[in-house]
Amino acid sequence: GGCKACVDGQRLRQMGEPGSRAALKLVGAHTSLESKPRRGGAVVVVVWMIAWGYFLCPRWLQRVWIYGLASVFKSLHWREKVIRENLKIIFSQWGEEQVRDLVQKSYRHFASLVFEMLLFAGPARRWIAANVSITGVENWQRAHDRGQGVLVLCSHLGNWEITAGAGGLMTPMEILIVTKKVKPAWLHRMMERGRARCLYGATYEPRTMKEILKQLGQGKTVGFVLDQYTGPPVGIRVPF
């Protein structure tokens, strides 16, 4: 099935297509692109083709894409040590077969995230309309009606970008998410354009407080993923 962005409550009917001016107003300075010469143009075209190819496939074929990419991750043992260490901490009583099964499921989950993120190169709006439902928007509305802005705190589960996009496209929320810049630069620009099309913006660590306070002061919404840490030079990364 599709991704669910849930807040507990009744299902919200999808609203009409907002105008592009609202998108630019919401994202503000974060939609501006660097004046430096852009690179990665050919890669962006390839990513755009992959994104639309994935979107246009039937669901069973999308699963084939996901399983294929997951197999690549598994063959490369990508982050397998980290996955196993985390599982050992949480499920110390598990045997090797159970651990191996969940490692493979972790790779499939990450592969699904990869393709969903690539959708921001083009068809994210259409994918969200077809696959996402939002419940409980009345809870946000009660907080918003107090006129002081709203903090939305969510678990680091599913696809946080799709969730924010659903909020931007399918609710009255004007959302600013707190996140980090991604590399390379062409991928960051692609994500910024995709976010603008989905009517939400982003502020980037480590200097985010000014944008957060401005957003809340205007009675708008700020979204946080709860397990984010404050990176250098403001904070110190520690093991746990």
Side-chain angles (χ1 to χ4, degrees):
C3 167
K4 296 287 183 180
C6 297
V7 196
D8 296 326
Q10 90 180 49
R11 180 178 178 130
L12 180 71
R13 179 176 59 83
Q14 182 181 359
M15 299 178 66
E17 296 275 324
S20 59
R21 180 177 299 177
L24 293 176
K25 182 179 179 181
L26 170 62
V27 179
H30 300 288
T31 56
S32 63
L33 303 180
E34 297 89 343
S35 59
K36 300 176 182 178
R38 299 179 188 177
R39 299 179 180 178
V43 178
V44 171
V45 172
V46 172
V47 168
W48 181 87
M49 294 173 65
I50 293 173
W52 278 99
Y54 178 81
F55 171 75
L56 294 172
C57 284
R59 185 58 185 162
W60 69 266
L61 190 52
Q62 289 178 354
R63 291 194 182 98
V64 172
W65 287 42
I66 291 169
Y67 275 65
L69 183 57
S71 297
V72 173
F73 292 147
K74 176 60 177 174
S75 66
L76 297 173
H77 301 283
W78 185 78
R79 294 181 65 85
E80 184 171 351
K81 181 179 178 181
V82 175
I83 296 172
R84 286 180 171 272
E85 287 176 350
N86 289 340
L87 292 177
K88 185 177 180 180
I89 294 171
I90 302 169
F91 302 110
S92 57
Q93 74 280 13
W94 278 16
E96 174 59 24
E97 184 176 347
Q98 290 173 297
V99 171
R100 186 167 54 248
D101 179 63
L102 198 52
V103 168
Q104 187 60 45
K105 288 179 179 178
S106 297
Y107 284 134
R108 290 199 292 269
H109 171 70
F110 185 73
S112 178
L113 287 181
V114 168
F115 286 119
E116 288 176 2
M117 298 297 273
L118 295 183
L119 293 173
F120 282 85
R125 289 174 67 104
R126 292 175 61 179
W127 194 93
I128 289 170
N131 293 279
V132 181
S133 62
I134 297 183
T135 59
V137 73
E138 67 277 4
N139 299 318
W140 168 85
Q141 190 66 58
R142 283 196 297 270
H144 179 264
D145 289 345
R146 297 176 183 177
Q148 297 178 334
V150 182
L151 291 174
V152 176
L153 308 179
C154 65
S155 300
H156 205 158
L157 302 171
N159 190 317
W160 50 97
E161 295 282 355
I162 292 291
T163 301
L169 292 170
M170 301 169 68
T171 79
M173 299 180 193
E174 294 180 276
I175 303 173
L176 183 77
I177 64 170
V178 180
T179 185
K180 297 177 175 64
K181 289 186 177 181
V182 296
K183 296 180 180 180
W186 64 263
L187 181 58
H188 180 73
R189 290 194 296 266
M190 184 197 82
M191 287 303 303
E192 283 202 318
R193 288 192 292 267
R195 288 168 181 150
R197 286 192 292 267
C198 293
L199 304 184
Y200 73 100
T203 183
Y204 305 105
E205 295 182 355
R207 295 176 178 84
T208 59
M209 188 56 66
K210 182 178 179 180
E211 291 289 339
I212 291 171
L213 293 177
K214 179 181 178 182
Q215 185 83 352
L216 294 175
Q218 294 174 347
K220 298 178 182 179
T221 300
V222 176
F224 288 91
V225 174
L226 283 175
D227 65 351
Q228 290 189 83
Y229 74 97
T230 303
V234 179
I236 300 173
R237 185 171 186 173
V238 296
F240 65 93

